[in-house]
């Protein structure tokens, strides 16, 4: 390797735990979370920030893990589906049949969780604005929307 | 999976960023400034670009500013599109950026990245062109403030070693009546085939375009036509077509003919909206 | 929906796989990490049709960590499920943009990708064949010069040497001339659309390892692990017993994971590195371009009817865009011929259904297997006929609905069991959508036009005559039962439905049924594939047989324990008990691993239930007339949409989307509704926006989900779903199967609604706003 620093030892805070790992600078958080930390709930779908399957929360904000470098995530609270303690949303997804193949589910659940946390008064337009970030290829989306609406209604 | 490797720097001050840039380029390293990074990640994954070093601007306090101050709206270049959409200090800008990509992407895309990136739509620039905004740039020659019009051409006219620090918008422009309209091929989440934004300043319509030509633009001649209320909206729309700064785009999103149709429709919609407001 | 006296069947019991999926803990193929595993990456073609002049691997080899690079020469033999026409890596020439040319194996994915990008290929361009109609012309260059020498793998596929025809299936039923003579009204209708994609969110992924013993271990995201085993065995001459294929959960498939492609490559990659474990996962771009796609079609439908609207004649030509290789495209063209008329009774039918080679990505099965495609063609034609007859489109369909006593295009006699009730579906839809002639086109106050469109649909399975499934039951010491069956859970809920069938049959609670989700060809009984909406039927019957077997054994040991005859006993509620005095019985817990007397002596051994089922009496189609039986039964349905069209800017929104399906007994209503909604969404997304965009040289311009447009949640319609339940006599509890059906009629219904709203013919998909604008430049309403 040439005499330049193209990788480094970093500390990431993932699901409230501090993790020390060596990463390449050009490594995406998607790769690091899956391959180095074994967090397989982060699902690759497009590697291009287009589908929302690998959504994780960075300081509570949904971010596509394929569209952020691991070195960028230093200093933030990273949450993956494995770190979601509040089971309200997963339970509502189950109740509403919002899961079929399950591949888009972690991304949808984390995005929905962030929506409910950040915008408990979300109206239909806000729900649309948030959920259109994620592609589901199985359900037709209605069940997912209903899940989110039910939770918002209970919160209100 | 990005196949290449690069250096990563995250300076905490403008001067540091510039110094790092100079040192890297002196070392012949292909160096780029990095905002949200979504475009850089996508394009290096596809091997379309191969930077050897990147300088992440997100830890520079000036780049993170987002406030109203002394009659100006100050927006740092690394402020996310979501933050701008959710905080309507300049409602037209909020509306325009809310139509870019989708929310999760907007959480990462920065306004500086939208303006200075390679993707030519650069929709966030439309309200800035309309409000004669100023841009604070930093680079080898230090920090300078320029009119947005000075750095907007068919691409962004920034020196290689320069980056956008802030955008300054005169607050008065945030109070004028405004209109914006974006048409996509089919799904709402997509690049624009025609995106236009407009404000009415002292009874004169200002209008800026994206998606029509391979660069966003605002032209005085076009605004002259648009303001000629003696002519019908349809006539004005037809004349605008003749004044466009390049041939209308013809690509996989829309044919030239269809874009022209959509553009005319959008212009008429805009005129109807603006002129009905007045009357 | 009636639920009869069933306790589990007909109930919306929760999915058995749901808790793990909701927590992100379900493991898909690429989630299985293994230290020391090597990674493979493809180098794909950036030409659609070209000779490969040379491949320079020098720079690629210079990348550190590279362990092997293979090209077409590494295995210079064609493979393919129906017709062996495709070398796993391009050999001498490339036939589509995105075709795999070389494969790099390296220590890390990054190194493999870096090296793959450094491979340099010198091409000599050939003329590109851009459409199936162009491919059919006699002066068009041949895509496969050696078509005549390719081996036909499955009976009933008819390639035509020295042409671009990979398969031609002919239907000759009745007398077409007489049909035209009896027709007062005739229409001639064309439709066309290019290839699109399945775009399952989990990209295809496979890994392979060859053990020193010669045992080949494959993990793959597949709808047919046994099929993978079969083809690996066939083309690499490995005994099936020496191959184990594992499939964990699959992240969406939609037919696209029934094809075998990456498995061949992973095997070759492993072979090139001494049998080490090698992983190959598609990027999204590769999944869209390099791996097989959803087929395109150009169709011409001529219909003749009496003044009263009774259909007399149908003359149909289907030109499927099979792309560069036939894969299952040949089978799709055959399946489309079998059901070529849609669910209408027509005495005189001629159909020529071609699978054409083009320089597009090659097609494989897509949810509906030729039926969403043919249905768009037929249903547009039916609406044109209705217009010409000045008849209500729904009434025209009702008048011609196929029913028991009629014959299908391949001359299968229909009876009260083997076909669902299309008329009942139509009448239910009429009610659901408040369909009447006055409300089909309405103007809104703001100048928009609301219109409704309808489509009938039907489909049989087109399974091979030996399509089979098995089930094995073992018991746990707590009396609960394990179900092992090679049906693949791709999201459709098959494992839940099979568990329900088992629970019903054994009169057990769902909590006492444990379904093995992962499939492993080494442990699980053979199953053809999980495709063709046939798993509930075939695997369901196997599960029932296995349950019967277990019940017999339980009664036998129970009889010993209870000092009576097996015939005196009944199994239920996890007990074996005496029929006329149910309080006298013994728990399954005490029988399943042998019945133990108080003194410790044990009789009976383990209870092991086994069962299998094979479709029966299917026959290949006659090459001249198509006479034959392509599947055991037909589920039928009706779909409709309501659109709001803006005549000012030619944009539209879909307001409502409705399905009434007769798939026999519905085993799990909520899961079934989910299948229908999801099918409608997928069908609408395809019909309104999904398509590859090619430049004039066959290059794909939109190989990413950013530009390959997919319907998102903010633009969905209101979904309406209902079922008619005409039982299939030999289906499990009367069920037929339904996975694909929600997609089939959507393009037809959308096209018909929009054509009505616009007052112009719409014959191309996707129905984008620009396309509607284009077709209305010449007039319209």
């Amino acid at each position: 390797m040439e005499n330049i620093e193209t990788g480094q030892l970093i500390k990431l805070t993932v699901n409230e735990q501090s993790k020390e790992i060596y990463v390449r600078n050009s490594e995406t958080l998607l790769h690091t979370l899956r391959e180095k930390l074994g967090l397989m709930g982060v699902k690759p779908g497009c590697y291009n920030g287009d589908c929302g399957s690998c959504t994780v929360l960075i300081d509570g904000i949904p971010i596509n893990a394929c569209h952020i470098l691991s070195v960028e995530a230093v200093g933030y609270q990273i949450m993956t589906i494995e770190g979601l303690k509040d089971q309200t949303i997963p339970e509502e997804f189950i109740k509403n049949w919002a899961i079929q193949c399950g591949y888009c589910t972690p991304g949808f659940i984390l995005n929905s969780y962030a929506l409910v946390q950040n915008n408990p008064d979300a109206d239909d337009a806000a729900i649309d604005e948030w959920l259109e970030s994620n592609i589901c290829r199985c359900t037709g989306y209605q069940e997912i929307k209903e899940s989110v609406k039910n939770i918002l209604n209970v919160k209100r | 999976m990005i196949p290449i490797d690069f250096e990563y720097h995250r300076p905490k001050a403008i001067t540091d960023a510039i110094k790092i840039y100079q040192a890297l380029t002196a070392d012949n390293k292909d160096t780029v400034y990095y905002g949200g990074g979504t475009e850089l990640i996508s394009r290096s994954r596809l091997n379309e670009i191969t930077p050897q070093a990147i300088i992440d601007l997100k830890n520079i306090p000036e780049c993170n500013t987002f406030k109203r101050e002394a009659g100006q709206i100050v927006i740092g270049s690394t402020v996310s599109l979501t933050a701008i959409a959710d905080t309507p200090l300049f409602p037209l800008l909020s509306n325009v950026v809310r139509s870019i990509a989708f929310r999760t992407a907007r959480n990462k895309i920065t306004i500086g990245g939208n303006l200075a990136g390679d993707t030519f739509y650069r929709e966030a620039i439309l309200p800035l062109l309309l409000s004669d905004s100023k841009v604070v740039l930093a680079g080898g020659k230090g920090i300078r403030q320029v009119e947005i019009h000075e750095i907007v051409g068919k691409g962004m006219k920034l020196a290689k070693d320069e980056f956008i620090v802030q955008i300054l918008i005169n607050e008065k422009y945030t109070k004028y009546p405004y209109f914006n309209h974006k048409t996509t091929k089919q799904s709402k989440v997509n690049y624009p085939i025609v995106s236009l934004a407009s404000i009415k300043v002292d009874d004169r319509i200002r209008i800026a375009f994206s998606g029509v030509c391979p660069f966003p633009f605002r032209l005085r001649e076009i605004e002259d036509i648009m303001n000629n209320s003696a002519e019908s909206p349809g006539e004005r729309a037809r004349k605008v077509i003749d004044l466009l700064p390049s041939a209308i785009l013809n690509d996989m999103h829309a044919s030239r003919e269809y874009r022209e149709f959509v553009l005319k429709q959008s212009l008429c919609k805009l005129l109807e909206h603006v002129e009905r407001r007045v009357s | 929906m009636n639920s009869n006296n069933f306790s589990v069947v007909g109930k919306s019991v929760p999915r058995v796989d749901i808790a793990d999926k909701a927590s992100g803990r379900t493991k898909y193929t690429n989630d299985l990490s293994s230290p020391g595993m090597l990674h493979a990456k493809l180098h794909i073609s950036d030409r659609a049709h070209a000779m490969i002049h040379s491949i320079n691997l020098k720079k690629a080899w210079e990348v550190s960590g590279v362990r092997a690079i293979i090209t077409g020469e590494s295995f210079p033999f064609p493979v393919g499920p129906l017709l062996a026409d495709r070398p796993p890596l391009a050999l001498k020439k490339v036939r589509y943009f995105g075709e795999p040319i070389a494969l790099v194996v390296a220590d890390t994915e990054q190194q493999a990708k870096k090296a793959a990008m450094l491979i340099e290929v010198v091409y000599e361009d050939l003329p590109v064949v851009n459409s199936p109609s162009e491919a059919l012309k006699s002066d068009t260059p041949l895509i496969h010069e050696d078509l005549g020498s390719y081996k036909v793998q499955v009976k009933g596929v008819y390639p035509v040497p020295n042409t671009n025809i990979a398969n031609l299936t002919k239907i000759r039923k009745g007398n077409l001339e007489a049909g035209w003579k009896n027709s007062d009204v005739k229409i001639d209708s064309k439709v066309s659309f290019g290839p699109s994609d399945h775009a399952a969110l989990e990209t295809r992924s496979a890994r392979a390892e060859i053990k020193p013993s010669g045992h080949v271990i494959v993990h793959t995201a597949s709808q047919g692990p046994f099929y993978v085993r079969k083809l690996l065995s066939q083309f690499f001459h490995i005994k099936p017993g020496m191959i184990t294929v594992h499939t964990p959960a699959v992240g969406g498939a939609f037919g696209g994971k029934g094809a075998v492609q990456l498995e061949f490559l992973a095997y070759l990659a492993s072979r090139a590195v001494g049998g080490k474990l090698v992983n190959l996962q598609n990027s999204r771009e590769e999944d869209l371009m390099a791996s097989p796609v959803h087929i395109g079609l150009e169709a011409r439908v001529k219909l003749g009817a009496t003044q009263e609207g009774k259909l007399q004649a149908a003359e149909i030509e289907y030109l499927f865009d099979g792309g560069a290789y036939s894969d299952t495209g040949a089978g799709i063209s055959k399946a489309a011929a079998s059901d070529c008329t849609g669910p209408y009774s027509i005495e005189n039918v001629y159909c020529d259904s071609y699978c054409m080679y083009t320089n597009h990505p090659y097609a494989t099965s897509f949810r509906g297997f030729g039926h969403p495609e043919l249905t768009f063609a037929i249903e547009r034609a039916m609406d044109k006929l209705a217009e010409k007859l000045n008849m209500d489109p729904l009434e025209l369909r009702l008048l011609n609905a196929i029913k028991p006593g009629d014959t299908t295009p391949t001359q299968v006699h229909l009876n009260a069991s083997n076909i669902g009730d299309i008329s009942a579906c139509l009448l239910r839809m009429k009610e659901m959508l408040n369909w009447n002639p006055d409300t089909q086109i309405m103007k809104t106050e703001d100048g928009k036009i609301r219109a409704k469109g309808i489509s009938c649909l039907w489909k049989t399975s087109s399974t091979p005559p030996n399509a089979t499934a098995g089930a094995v039951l073992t018991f746990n010491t707590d009396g609960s039962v394990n179900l092992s069956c090679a049906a693949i859970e791709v999201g459709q809920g098959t494992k839940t439905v099979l568990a329900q069938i088992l629970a019903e049959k054994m009169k057990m609670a769902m909590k006492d049924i444990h379904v093995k989700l992962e499939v492993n060809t080494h442990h699980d009984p053979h199953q053809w594939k999980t495709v063709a909406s046939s798993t509930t039927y075939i695997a369901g019957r196997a599960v029932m047989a296995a349950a019967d077997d277990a019940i017999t054994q339980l009664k036998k040991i129970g009889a010993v324990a209870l000092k009576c005859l097996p015939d005196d006993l009944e199994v239920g509620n996890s007990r074996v008990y005496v029929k006329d005095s149910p309080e006298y019985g013994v728990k399954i817990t005490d029988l399943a691993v042998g019945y133990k007397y108080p003194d410790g002596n044990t009789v009976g051994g383990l209870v092991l239930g086994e069962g299998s089922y094979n479709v029966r009496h299917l026959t290949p189609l006659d090459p001249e007339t198509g006479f034959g039986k392509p599947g055991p039964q037909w589920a039928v349905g009706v779909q409709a949409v309501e659109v709001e069209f803006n005549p000012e800017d030619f944009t539209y929104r879909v307001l409502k989307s409705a399905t009434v399906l007769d798939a026999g007994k519905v085993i799990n209503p909520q899961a079934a509704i989910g299948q229908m909604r999801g099918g409608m969404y997928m069908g609408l997304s395809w019909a309104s926006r999904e398509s590859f965009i090619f430049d004039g040289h066959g290059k794909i311009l939109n190989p990413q989900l950013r530009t390959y447009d997919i319907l998102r949640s903010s633009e969905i319609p209101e979904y309406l779903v209902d079922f008619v339940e005409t039982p299939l006599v030999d289906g499990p509890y009367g069920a037929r199967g339904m996975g694909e059906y929600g997609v089939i009629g959507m393009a037809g219904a959308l096209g018909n609604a929009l054509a009505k709203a616009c007052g112009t013919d719409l014959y191309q998909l996707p129905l984008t706003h620009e396309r509607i604008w284009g077709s209305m430049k010449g007039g319209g309403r």
Side-chain angles (χ1 to χ4, degrees), chain C residues 221-373:
Chain C
S222 171
Q223 291 171 260
F226 281 93
Y227 200 67
V228 171
R229 189 179 75 170
K230 178 186 165 184
L231 296 193
L232 282 174
S233 165
Q234 220 164 57
F235 292 112
F236 299 114
H237 307 292
I238 313 161
K239 288 191 172 155
M242 292 298 282
I243 304 171
T244 302
V245 182
H246 297 255
T247 296
V250 175
F254 316 111
K257 288 174 181 160
V260 183
Q261 181 196 32
L262 298 192
E263 296 87 346
F264 294 136
L265 295 171
Y267 170 76
L268 289 171
S270 176
R271 204 172 72 171
V273 292
K276 289 199 188 93
L277 177 61
V278 179
N279 183 40
L280 174 62
Q281 189 185 27
N282 274 348
S283 67
R284 176 56 62 187
E285 289 83 358
E286 287 158 347
D287 211 55
L288 287 169
M289 296 190 294
S291 284
V293 304
H294 174 191
I295 207 160
L297 175 70
E298 292 177 22
R300 182 170 187 178
V301 177
K302 296 185 204 170
L303 296 176
T306 62
Q307 211 78 62
E308 295 74 37
K310 193 82 188 108
L311 286 167
Q312 298 298 320
E315 187 178 353
I316 298 165
E317 183 182 75
Y318 293 139
L319 287 175
F320 281 96
D321 184 350
Y325 299 100
S326 63
D327 200 77
T328 54
I332 292 169
S333 58
K334 189 176 77 167
S338 310
D339 287 344
C340 64
T341 54
Y344 304 112
S345 168
I346 311 177
E347 286 300 318
N348 309 297
V349 181
Y350 278 27
C351 172
D352 288 332
S353 183
Y354 297 87
C355 176
M356 299 303 303
Y357 287 120
T358 66
N359 291 119
H360 285 159
Y362 70 100
T364 190
S365 322
F366 175 85
R367 196 176 189 179
F369 205 62
H371 290 69
E373 300 77 19

Side-chain angles (χ1 to χ4, degrees), chain C residues 5 25 27 62 110 146 221 227 260 354 376 410 431 451 479 492 505 547 566 688 699 758 764:
Chain C
N5 295 317
R25 294 277 291 277
K27 291 277 187 284
E62 283 166 7
Q110 184 217 2
D146 302 329
Y227 200 67
V260 183
Y354 297 87
F376 178 59
T410 68
E431 201 181 296
Q492 81 284 46
K505 189 79 191 165
S688 64
K699 176 183 175 179
C758 304
Q764 279 176 300

Side-chain angles (χ1 to χ4, degrees), chain C residues 142-205:
Chain C
L142 292 180
I143 293 167
H144 291 267
E145 299 81 358
D146 302 329
L147 181 55
S149 71
Y150 293 156
K151 190 168 169 236
V152 174
Q153 303 283 327
V154 169
K155 221 172 146 181
V157 173
Y158 303 105
V160 183
N162 301 314
T163 71
N164 287 317
I165 301 169
N167 177 53
L168 167 58
T169 302
K170 290 190 252 182
I171 300 292
R172 300 290 181 267
K173 175 188 165 189
N175 180 335
L176 194 62
E177 222 168 289
W180 290 130
K181 213 174 276 171
N182 295 337
S183 300
D184 304 311
V185 177
K186 295 170 194 170
I187 59 106
D188 185 348
S189 171
K190 286 183 182 175
V191 301
S192 69
F193 47 87
S196 51
D197 204 76
H198 312 81
L201 274 178
E202 177 206 22
T203 59
R204 295 163 177 96
S205 165

